[in-house]
Amino acid sequence: MVAWYDAGVDDPLPRLERAVARLAQRADCARAPLVLPADGWTVHAWLPAPGALTPEEDGPWLAVGDPAAGVDGFRRTHQQARQAASVALAVPPARRARLTSAADAGLVALLRADPDALRVWVRAVLGDLATDDEPHARLRETVRVWLAHQGSHTAAAAELLLHRNTVQYRVRRAEAARGRPLSERRLDVEVALQACHLLGSAVLGGAPDRR
């Protein structure tokens, strides 16, 4: 795990150590976590065999790797946590999830090695669907959930608390904005939408030029 506070918090390292200890207690860890300071605002931590992790609403930001065993697992989960943290830190605090997991970050963590190239790629995959405004954001989120439910309008509507017909309408609008079917290069579409979901304006473009 990587845990950190933004600037402006008094005594961040002791507070981080206490927050990680409380998290480990809530996750029913068999032993106390190992916590090492990384800098004045950040700690790296390893929790032994944790259960579900429940961050505190006003607690530190958290990025976690997948549980793994042995020395190689110790290294691998730490690398995943750092990759997840790099994705979380690219998101403005107002939009950032309190906890970002390696599963949330996924391929986006690897793609972020070249942010400019990622932005260009997202625009190439999504077309005008990658426009940075509220109407296109609604379309992207609808399509992201719809694809996660294997194209089920009913399941997506249930998760988004929308009418099935609204989901259907937004999917059609999203395809029009993209300029081609969402089924074309579907894996790329899903990864690009996840990048937009996690990174927001960092990978989005301005309004399309209609001249």
Side-chain angles (χ1 to χ4, degrees):
M1 173 188 297
V2 178
W4 71 97
Y5 280 113
D6 295 325
V9 174
D10 294 331
D11 298 322
L13 292 181
R15 290 184 62 174
L16 285 166
E17 291 183 5
R18 292 193 295 270
V20 171
R22 291 193 299 271
L23 184 70
Q25 188 175 33
R26 292 196 301 275
D28 295 325
C29 291
R31 298 184 303 281
L34 171 63
V35 182
L36 299 175
D39 56 40
W41 301 92
T42 308
V43 298
H44 295 162
W46 289 260
L47 281 67
L53 299 177
T54 54
E56 299 166 334
E57 288 187 12
D58 58 348
W61 304 104
L62 305 172
V64 299
D66 294 329
V71 174
D72 287 342
F74 186 87
R75 296 191 184 105
R76 185 169 64 253
T77 189
H78 178 56
Q79 181 184 31
Q80 290 175 338
R82 294 183 66 178
Q83 289 172 338
S86 76
V87 172
L89 286 165
V91 181
R95 290 188 57 253
R96 185 187 302 154
R98 186 58 60 180
L99 184 152
T100 302
S101 69
D104 293 331
L107 285 173
V108 176
L110 302 178
L111 293 171
R112 277 205 73 250
D114 189 338
D116 291 335
L118 176 58
R119 188 181 308 109
V120 170
W121 179 79
V122 165
R123 190 72 184 201
V125 171
L126 297 181
D128 289 348
L129 187 56
T131 301
D132 190 7
D133 62 19
E134 186 59 33
H136 287 89
R138 284 195 296 271
L139 297 182
R140 285 192 302 271
E141 182 62 9
T142 300
V143 171
R144 188 182 70 83
V145 174
W146 176 72
L147 288 173
H149 286 289
Q150 308 302 316
S152 169
H153 296 92
T154 301
E159 179 171 335
L160 294 166
L161 303 179
L162 296 172
H163 193 280
R164 183 179 185 278
N165 291 346
T166 302
V167 173
Q168 221 168 3
Y169 171 74
R170 289 185 182 178
V171 169
R172 290 197 302 267
R173 289 283 307 278
E175 287 195 322
R178 188 188 185 215
R180 48 191 162 144
L182 293 166
S183 58
E184 185 177 320
R185 293 175 59 191
R186 173 169 170 162
L187 178 58
D188 285 355
V189 171
E190 293 193 60
V191 174
L193 288 171
Q194 185 68 359
C196 295
H197 177 68
L198 289 171
L199 302 176
S201 297
V203 295
L204 296 171
D209 187 351
R210 299 303 186 189
R211 291 179 297 175

